[in-house]
Amino acid sequence: MTSGCTEIIAHRGASDDAPENTLESFQLGLDQGADAIECDVRVSRDGELVAIHDSTVDRVAQVKGTVAEMSRAELNALDVGSWKSPDWQGARIPALADILDLMPADRRIFIEIKVGLTALPPLKKVLAASALPSSQVVIMEFDLDTVIAVRGAFPDIEVLWLNDFPWWYPGWIKRRALMNNIARSANHGFDGVNIQNIPQLDADSLQACRRRGLNCYCWTVDDPDRAAQLHQGGINGIATNRPGWIREQLDLPK
């Protein structure tokens, strides 16, 4: 981990400007100079991986429906752009396969599994069918058992354990949990961790990752001072809703 190689990751695409988890948002993130995009995936009723954060479509489509109970075609018929702005009317929920097809040769995609082990069979299928090399793919999840399974299923892909911490935890408990999870990640053979943006992700915890040979990423960072602190500390990547702006604030080359 060196301060010169911090990846700027477009969190759900350029989601400050465009409707999250849409092809429009991902393309805008790439256009703004993001080194990578991040998407959330769930499984439709007919077993397709689709990009959406919530378990329901209520927030982004402004109609009621549960993702797991809807077919790929039903999900694709929804307008998930108008909630953001009339300018984005008609944006759709994309399949993961469509997002992989969007990726240029010099960028990466971070795939966050939102549904645990049920995502693994369709994920194997869609990655096998994609021309995107494994070096451009990162897979991550919060559920430890799922991350362990992903590690075994995808030996050639970078695998991260996502970590968040209840807001009511005292700082010392968050630090202890973070350090413990760094150690556990190394013991399980993960490639790294992706940590919630908490103060305890600092020089000491970054050094702990380095000692154990782990990559370390942070989500979600929209504050330029915090981004600069992490960048100077040698973090591998920062997920942000404002990839173009954060890159400019850090004076990173495109």
Side-chain angles (χ1 to χ4, degrees), residues 220-232:
T220 304
V221 183
D222 291 337
D223 175 73
D225 292 336
R226 176 60 167 158
Q229 181 186 55
L230 292 166
H231 171 60
Q232 293 301 322

Side-chain angles (χ1 to χ4, degrees), residues 67-112:
V67 176
E69 297 174 357
M70 302 177 71
S71 70
R72 169 77 186 102
E74 289 170 329
L75 291 164
N76 188 244
L78 299 174
D79 173 2
V80 294
S82 293
W83 72 271
K84 184 76 171 177
S85 163
D87 295 338
W88 299 106
Q89 182 179 1
R92 306 297 178 185
I93 297 172
L96 177 59
D98 296 330
I99 306 169
L100 297 178
D101 287 344
L102 187 72
M103 297 301 298
D106 60 345
R107 314 291 179 92
R108 298 210 296 167
I109 181 170
F110 286 64
I111 302 169
E112 179 182 341

